[in-house]
Amino acid sequence: MSAPFHQKTAERGNIIDGAGYAKSLRDRLAVHVANLKEAHGLTPCLVVVIVGDDPASQVYVKSKGEMTQAIGMESRTIRLPDTTSEDELLHLIDDLNRDNVVNGILVQLPLPKHMSSLKVIDAINPDKDVDGFHVINAGKLAVGLDGIVPCTPLGSLMLLKDAALAHGDTLAGKNAVIVGRSNIVGKPMAQLLLGQDCTVTIAHSRTKDLAEVCRAADILVAAVGRPKFITGDWVKDDAYVIDVGINRIEVDGKGKLVGDVDFDGARDRALAITPVPKGVGPMTIACLLNNTIKAFCLQNHFPVPEGV
């Protein structure tokens, strides 16, 4: 485990430096890529497919490509117009599945309305599903088998374990509450925390007495998609708070990114808390690179590097 990444901002309320941890992870992955190239003469390859011209998706895809190349992996981006049919996209995925040079396939979401995200994800070879969304990878996580884990929950767990380490603590035995029940974050996050011997509750917007449920949490993960939905008085003293939300709001006529947690209200209660931005977000892309290396090793029957 690397050295903890925290900034002391007050007597209480340490900020978890997700951007710093993500950089450290990328640096370690770059060493793994160099070692794999030297040992086997092969380079991990990630292909990202984007359909349409959604501005936020374009930014994410560009960043993924740049960081993939920065650690020495091969990066390909396939851009398709929003007039592409679902059958055409499925045919492309089939070609990528059969291409032995391609180790990771990521189809950027959201897709145009005439396409089924579930059908598209299901078409990806689960061994190349570096997003970890395929039902086979979800099933492996649910029963404790080694598969590819969704990037955001994986990065969140890394930050939680690092925060606990920084305080001489462990996650085992803690009461964890996840607000949000999506297949992308909430459900896999619950499985990961169960694997750390936490007692886990999945809550959501319709949970009865949600504020009281949150106040009982030693670990609080917010993934509900509502800006500042969780207020400071919902946070237990000395809780670990992971804010997965990324919401754009207007403040004085200018756009601002905020999380699902009211950061200013929660930081003085929390023992450790992720900010938005520069918290969980950078870890998502770093874990995508991590998953691509793991997929590359598994496909080629190479030992997976320690820590990947």
Side-chain angles (χ1 to χ4, degrees):
M1 181 73 72
S2 61
F5 289 91
H6 298 87
Q7 301 171 17
K8 190 72 172 176
T9 59
E11 183 178 356
R12 305 170 70 87
N14 288 339
I15 297 177
I16 299 173
D17 183 7
Y21 192 104
K23 182 182 184 306
S24 173
L25 177 56
R26 294 195 306 271
D27 289 345
R28 298 197 300 274
L29 295 176
V31 173
H32 292 322
V33 171
N35 290 340
L36 289 166
K37 286 182 181 180
E38 182 177 356
H40 306 289
L42 298 172
T43 302
C45 174
L46 171 65
V47 175
V48 177
V49 180
I50 180 170
V51 185
D53 54 4
D54 178 75
S57 293
Q58 293 287 348
V59 171
Y60 295 149
V61 167
K62 180 181 178 183
S63 180
K64 289 169 184 174
E66 291 173 348
M67 292 188 183
T68 302
Q69 292 178 327
I71 69 165
M73 296 199 303
E74 182 181 349
S75 172
R76 300 183 195 172
T77 301
I78 300 175
R79 291 181 168 84
L80 302 174
D82 56 12
T83 54
T84 301
S85 71
E86 183 177 83
D87 283 344
E88 287 172 324
L89 177 57
L90 294 174
H91 180 75
L92 171 64
I93 291 172
D94 184 57
D95 288 342
L96 295 174
N97 284 339
R98 290 184 284 107
D99 187 342
N100 291 333
V101 174
V102 175
N103 306 113
I105 302 169
L106 183 152
V107 178
Q108 182 67 38
L109 302 178
L111 289 169
K113 292 181 180 180
H114 65 278
M115 294 183 181
S116 164
S117 296
L118 290 176
K119 189 173 181 179
V120 169
I121 291 168
D122 186 59
I124 298 171
N125 181 340
D127 293 338
K128 297 187 177 186
D129 166 41
V130 288
D131 256 338
F133 294 162
H134 194 283
V135 66
I136 289 179
N137 283 317
K140 286 182 176 180
L141 179 59
V143 299
L145 294 178
D146 187 26
I148 300 177
V149 177
C151 303
T152 299
L154 179 60
S156 298
L157 180 64
M158 289 181 181
L159 294 180
L160 273 170
K161 292 172 71 174
D162 186 68
L165 177 67
H167 293 92
D169 201 358
T170 178
L171 303 185
K174 294 197 181 302
N175 183 25
V177 173
I178 302 159
V179 185
R181 50 184 167 177
S182 73
N183 293 331
I184 293 174
V185 179
K187 293 175 184 176
M189 190 77 237
Q191 297 293 343
L192 289 173
L193 289 172
L194 284 171
Q196 297 296 311
D197 297 319
C198 296
T199 300
V200 180
T201 300
I202 298 181
H204 44 82
S205 59
R206 295 189 179 184
T207 297
K208 185 177 180 181
D209 298 326
L210 179 57
E212 289 303 314
V213 172
C214 291
R215 290 187 187 108
D218 304 309
I219 297 168
L220 181 59
V221 180
V224 72
R226 298 186 183 183
K228 300 186 179 183
F229 178 72
I230 295 175
T231 58
D233 63 338
W234 290 22
V235 176
K236 179 182 179 180
D237 284 346
D238 291 334
Y240 296 96
V241 179
I242 301 293
D243 191 349
V244 178
I246 301 177
N247 309 284
R248 184 173 294 277
I249 63 172
E250 280 201 10
V251 177
D252 298 328
K254 297 181 180 179
K256 180 182 179 181
L257 291 179
V258 298
D260 291 349
V261 177
D262 179 7
F263 181 80
D264 291 334
R267 62 189 285 187
D268 289 336
R269 287 179 175 266
L271 185 64
I273 183 172
T274 56
V276 176
K278 299 183 179 181
V280 174
M283 289 297 295
T284 298
I285 295 181
C287 287
L288 172 66
L289 308 180
N290 182 93
N291 284 353
T292 303
I293 293 173
K294 181 176 183 178
F296 167 83
C297 292
L298 293 175
Q299 290 161 34
N300 288 283
H301 306 289
F302 300 150
V304 178
E306 185 177 354
V308 172

